[in-house]
Amino acid sequence: ITIGPKALPAVTAALAAIKEVTTLHSVSGTFDLIAILAAPSILELDRLIDRIGALDGVERTLSSIILSTRISR
């Protein structure tokens, strides 16, 4: 998730209100945040991604679906 300047507190609060957001990471690089979502279907995931993209302060999103977990410690 790429956010606008000074939008971190508002975007974090908005994402915290979405129960399907299970984890939120602040990262360096091209993007500002990585959100891990849990959705029961692709249709619901699509709706969540649209909802996140429409939040005030969110400039763009990039989505990847985890196909499998190779290592989890």
Side-chain angles (χ1 to χ4, degrees):
I1 301 169
T2 302
I3 60 174
K6 301 181 183 179
L8 182 61
V11 172
T12 298
L15 292 170
I18 300 172
K19 66 178 176 63
E20 294 87 355
V21 175
T22 62
T23 309
L24 184 63
H25 300 283
S26 180
V27 295
S28 64
T30 305
F31 299 95
D32 301 301
L33 300 168
I34 295 175
I36 307 297
L37 310 177
S41 68
I42 295 297
L43 180 61
E44 184 58 26
L45 179 61
D46 188 43
R47 288 180 182 154
L48 287 165
I49 292 167
D50 288 345
R51 182 175 169 191
I52 290 169
L55 293 175
D56 286 339
V58 171
E59 293 183 349
R60 87 179 56 91
T61 64
L62 173 72
S63 304
S64 296
I65 296 173
I66 297 171
L67 299 175
S68 67
T69 300
R70 303 296 174 122
I71 297 173
S72 179
R73 298 183 187 187

